[in-house]
Amino acid sequence: MVLKPYFGLRGNALLRAALFLVVCPTFACYGYNMGVTGGLLTLDAFNLQFPRMDTIHTHGALNKENSQMQGTVIALYTVGGIFGALSCIYLGDLWGRRKVIFITNLISIIGAILMATSFDFAQFIVARLVLGLGIGGYVATVPVWQSEISPAHKRGSNVVTNGIFIGIGVTVSLWIDLGFYFVKDNSVSWRFPLAFQIIMPVITMIFITMLPESPRWLIKNGQVEEGRKVLAALLDLDDYSEEVRENVLNIEAALAYCPGSWKDMFKNGEQRLFHRAYLAATGQMFQQMCGVNLITYYEITIFQQYLGMDAVDSRILAAAMTMMQPLGGYIAYFTIDRLGRRPLMLWSAGAMTICMAGLAGTTSPSATNNTGALAMAVVFLYCFQFIFTVGFCGLTFLYAAEVAPLQVRAAVNAVSTATVWAFTFMIAQVTPVGFSTIGSRYYIIFAVVNAAIVPSVYFFFPETKGRSLEEIDEIFTQSKSIFDPPRVARAMQRRAMQGSESNSDCGDNTTNDVVIREVKV
């Protein structure tokens, strides 16, 4: 019996298979690693094995020295992530999306094994770097693959589900940490949580080989017929139907309009490639500088050391708090393609400003031993996790993939994802020192940053909802300055609405036809 390609699935069923068999385990593993180590830092068995990171049983100068070492070791994971993401600048287009996803998941398995079997401090450090290398590579590649196989009207909801999966991963990690907290005086209390994640990349490696390659990458690399077949399967149409033919023509037109290599993203040109790379990286910077990882990496430490709760209550509250992320991702799934990218980012940044300012006040020295202030601090922490997932968790990965043109999409996403890791490194590195030196005033820094995100998004980030990836190219082609894209996107939206009212048959093909005609000219 000959097996049908892609399990015999087509259309929405094929998209769902890609979502749950590849995207879910990869981003769940990414989220798992955000939370799992933070839950181990206060374990006696972990600190006994690695005393140079012990901030629980030390005081004074030694505590400060250990807090710096702890921040460095936790942050080294992100250094690996930076190099893993940057490697995709070249390898993403050379190997294709599926092969990169397979290899980077294999590297992450090696890193997880090394970390869970560590008896020496040096091995633990190397393991963190290797793990980050693998995860950085697939986090830079999976959103590109996902956006390139998704139709325009579903791309937002498909890719923003990454936030749900990240939240699930963080939640699972902290509940596992909580369960193994009660395994006293045994290294299994921290080895099993670090090893458990191996299940997720194994699932990804099995199924990515059975799912389609990006049709845009196939066409870009001369495999037009194979790309046509993949498009037909994704759209559930005949290989040579009119809609499939038009999609192939639009992709070829976009490539012909601006051919080149990854180095072109550092040049502006008519398609404003550097401008688009800068926007993608800036959005990803906002995702980290809003302050989410100071909470995600150190939430148990915040509850236990800085809010004065006992070890069990701290772990329960931290594990329950992470459940806000899947809920926020669920809200984003239903609003991203209705409200758009800009409104979610704007409202979320404003709300996170309030949460960070509230945390600064409710955890200040004047609020010490105040039960009401403590309760409000917990509320602000929970609200922040929820709001972040609605507006920034999966959305910035989606936006980076959308604004990048096909010819440099892998490279731009590699750079933008490296930006995530770079700022994650900075936050993970300075947070222990920040709390130990300026205390609750550390939150004020992030309140100010979130307030600054609001005008930045309003003036510089164009709306991309409902547009094909080739139509988004047109927004930047018509722009002449960094301030133009939001205005051009609004004008194009008005023209599209007027066109649909006068001729319902025009649809999304109007802008695409403009691109094709320009190329022919």
Side-chain angles (χ1 to χ4, degrees):
M1 182 179 69
V2 178
L3 292 176
K4 293 182 179 180
Y6 323 133
F7 313 103
L9 301 176
R10 297 176 67 83
N12 289 334
L14 181 56
L15 288 171
R16 284 194 294 271
L19 189 66
F20 290 108
L21 298 178
V22 172
V23 180
C24 175
T26 53
F27 274 89
C29 189
Y30 174 53
Y32 188 91
N33 277 284
M34 284 184 180
V36 68
T37 310
L40 307 177
L41 295 176
T42 55
L43 290 177
D44 289 338
F46 184 84
N47 286 310
L48 182 64
Q49 188 71 56
F50 306 112
R52 294 185 66 186
M53 290 192 288
D54 185 1
T55 59
I56 301 298
H57 307 104
T58 56
H59 304 281
L62 181 59
N63 180 270
K64 186 174 182 179
E65 180 183 334
N66 283 5
S67 70
Q68 292 174 334
M69 180 60 70
Q70 182 187 99
T72 300
V73 173
I74 298 302
L76 279 174
Y77 160 70
T78 65
V79 174
I82 292 171
F83 286 103
L86 290 177
S87 69
C88 296
I89 291 177
Y90 179 68
L91 298 178
D93 280 329
L94 179 66
W95 288 351
R97 317 312 188 213
R98 291 196 309 171
K99 187 177 290 187
V100 170
I101 292 170
F102 183 92
I103 293 173
T104 51
N105 272 275
L106 177 60
I107 294 171
S108 72
I109 290 173
I110 295 170
I113 292 172
L114 288 172
M115 194 162 58
T117 58
S118 292
F119 286 92
D120 185 79
F121 191 49
Q123 181 181 339
F124 192 82
I125 290 173
V126 172
R128 295 286 293 171
L129 284 166
V130 174
L131 179 69
L133 187 69
I135 294 180
Y138 69 62
V139 168
T141 306
V142 170
V144 176
W145 176 72
Q146 190 182 4
S147 65
E148 290 183 340
I149 65 173
S150 300
H153 66 286
K154 293 182 179 179
R155 187 175 60 248
S157 58
N158 280 350
V159 181
V160 83
T161 52
N162 297 353
I164 299 176
F165 302 140
I166 291 172
I168 290 171
V170 176
T171 302
V172 170
S173 72
L174 288 183
W175 282 111
I176 288 177
D177 282 353
L178 174 62
F180 279 84
Y181 169 76
F182 298 100
V183 180
K184 301 293 186 180
D185 303 321
N186 194 316
S187 66
V188 74
S189 62
W190 60 269
R191 293 189 190 279
F192 181 88
L194 293 176
F196 179 81
Q197 63 183 283
I198 295 170
I199 296 171
M200 291 172 272
V202 167
I203 293 171
T204 300
M205 290 173 65
I206 291 171
F207 289 107
I208 190 61
T209 61
M210 305 177 189
L211 290 165
E213 178 58 271
S214 159
R216 288 173 168 85
W217 181 83
L218 290 168
I219 293 171
K220 179 183 178 182
N221 286 271
Q223 303 177 50
V224 178
E225 286 306 310
E226 184 62 28
R228 185 191 304 278
K229 291 177 182 178
V230 172
L231 280 170
L234 292 168
L235 297 171
D236 195 13
L237 297 170
D238 181 75
D239 289 3
Y240 291 92
S241 67
E242 183 64 21
E243 187 173 346
V244 171
R245 186 188 68 81
E246 288 182 0
N247 273 276
V248 172
L249 283 174
N250 290 337
I251 294 169
E252 290 179 326
L255 288 169
Y257 187 54
C258 189
S261 70
W262 63 268
K263 297 176 184 178
D264 291 334
M265 71 174 168
F266 299 108
K267 307 171 186 175
N268 236 3
E270 191 173 353
Q271 279 210 322
R272 304 192 66 80
L273 300 185
F274 179 72
H275 177 190
R276 296 159 77 169
Y278 175 79
L279 273 184
T282 302
Q284 296 284 46
M285 178 192 72
F286 289 161
Q287 187 206 75
Q288 294 304 307
M289 286 304 294
C290 69
V292 65
N293 273 336
L294 82 90
I295 294 172
T296 304
Y297 280 175
Y298 298 102
E299 51 199 341
I300 291 177
T301 303
I302 290 172
F303 283 121
Q304 189 169 341
Q305 287 188 242
Y306 302 116
L307 295 184
M309 299 181 180
D310 65 48
V312 175
D313 288 345
S314 297
R315 282 169 168 77
I316 292 173
L317 281 172
M321 182 174 70
T322 59
M323 296 174 72
M324 295 294 99
Q325 288 195 15
L327 178 60
Y330 188 73
I331 299 298
Y333 176 82
F334 287 102
T335 56
I336 187 71
D337 284 322
R338 290 178 173 84
L339 300 180
R341 287 59 162 153
R342 277 164 52 92
L344 291 187
M345 286 194 284
L346 289 168
W347 287 105
S348 295
M352 288 190 295
T353 301
I354 296 171
C355 290
M356 283 295 182
L359 280 168
T362 54
T363 60
S364 64
S366 61
T368 304
N369 300 322
N370 186 321
T371 304
L374 176 63
M376 283 306 301
V378 174
V379 169
F380 283 127
L381 285 167
Y382 273 62
C383 288
F384 183 93
Q385 285 279 33
F386 171 77
I387 294 162
F388 166 77
T389 315
V390 174
F392 282 90
C393 189
L395 193 153
T396 55
F397 288 103
L398 163 68
Y399 200 85
E402 286 184 325
V403 298
L406 175 58
Q407 63 272 23
V408 293
R409 184 167 295 134
V412 168
N413 273 267
V415 170
S416 67
T417 306
T419 304
V420 173
W421 290 102
F423 282 91
T424 302
F425 172 83
M426 185 186 75
I427 298 299
Q429 176 71 56
V430 304
T431 291
V433 180
F435 277 131
S436 67
T437 53
I438 61 175
S440 62
R441 287 174 292 175
Y442 187 54
Y443 294 114
I444 296 174
I445 297 171
F446 297 96
V448 173
V449 171
N450 279 298
I453 290 174
V454 176
S456 300
V457 171
Y458 184 82
F459 288 110
F460 300 110
F461 286 66
E463 182 57 70
T464 56
K465 73 168 183 176
R467 300 194 178 278
S468 72
L469 296 175
E470 287 69 40
E471 286 178 315
I472 295 169
D473 290 343
E474 186 68 12
I475 292 174
F476 289 92
T477 301
Q478 293 185 22
S479 299
K480 305 303 177 187
S481 74
I482 59 173
F483 296 99
D484 283 351
R487 177 185 59 78
V488 171
R490 288 193 294 269
M492 289 176 64
Q493 183 65 30
R494 286 195 297 269
R495 288 199 299 270
M497 292 176 63
Q498 293 168 358
S500 63
E501 291 173 359
S502 61
N503 185 355
S504 60
D505 293 332
C506 287
D508 289 335
N509 293 333
T510 304
T511 307
N512 290 341
D513 290 342
V514 172
V515 176
I516 294 170
R517 285 196 298 272
E518 287 180 352
V519 173
K520 289 180 178 179
V521 171

